[in-house]
Amino acid sequence: MLTGKQKRFLRSQAHHLKPIFQVGKIGVNENMITQVNEALEKRELIKVSILQNCLDDKETVAEELQAGTSAEIVQIIGNNIVLYKESEENKQIQLP
């Protein structure tokens, strides 16, 4: 689990990031989870955008992504979800 201080730090790091994944009408599937997992291994911190035609609500999408990737939900703001997972190969972010 992330502490409040760590989440605050990660939110500040994620502020300038653009969403690299979009969840649309079909919602979260196995293929998306695999790709998000690979992106988290490379970047550690990513933003996922939820499109307006998505049938699931943002909390459900966030929980599905968290369960599938073992990532931490840093923030859900508007239609964006910020996910963090410590990389095993190339660790870039030092948490406070």
Side-chain angles (χ1 to χ4, degrees):
M1 285 296 293
L2 294 171
T3 65
K5 188 175 184 179
Q6 290 170 330
K7 282 188 179 184
R8 195 166 56 244
F9 170 76
L10 290 171
R11 281 199 302 267
S12 71
Q13 294 293 308
H15 178 73
H16 67 278
L17 294 178
K18 298 268 186 268
I20 58 172
F21 288 101
Q22 293 181 329
V23 180
K25 200 173 192 175
I26 58 170
V28 178
N29 56 26
E30 285 299 314
N31 187 32
M32 174 177 269
I33 287 175
T34 305
Q35 290 180 342
V36 168
N37 222 356
E38 289 170 4
L40 281 166
E41 178 58 36
K42 284 191 178 75
R43 301 174 186 222
E44 293 186 311
L45 190 66
I46 63 168
K47 256 187 198 174
V48 179
S49 175
I50 302 171
L51 300 178
Q52 287 182 333
N53 66 354
C54 183
L55 302 175
D56 299 330
D57 68 333
K58 55 191 173 187
E59 282 79 16
T60 306
V61 171
E63 286 166 12
E64 287 175 6
L65 287 171
Q66 181 182 29
T69 61
S70 310
E72 293 284 342
I73 299 170
V74 176
Q75 179 180 37
I76 301 174
I77 183 163
N79 283 334
N80 291 323
I81 302 168
V82 179
L83 295 172
Y84 169 77
K85 183 178 180 184
E86 191 174 309
S87 176
E88 296 179 18
E89 307 289 297
N90 47 355
K91 188 160 167 39
Q92 299 163 337
I93 300 174
Q94 269 317 114
L95 289 178

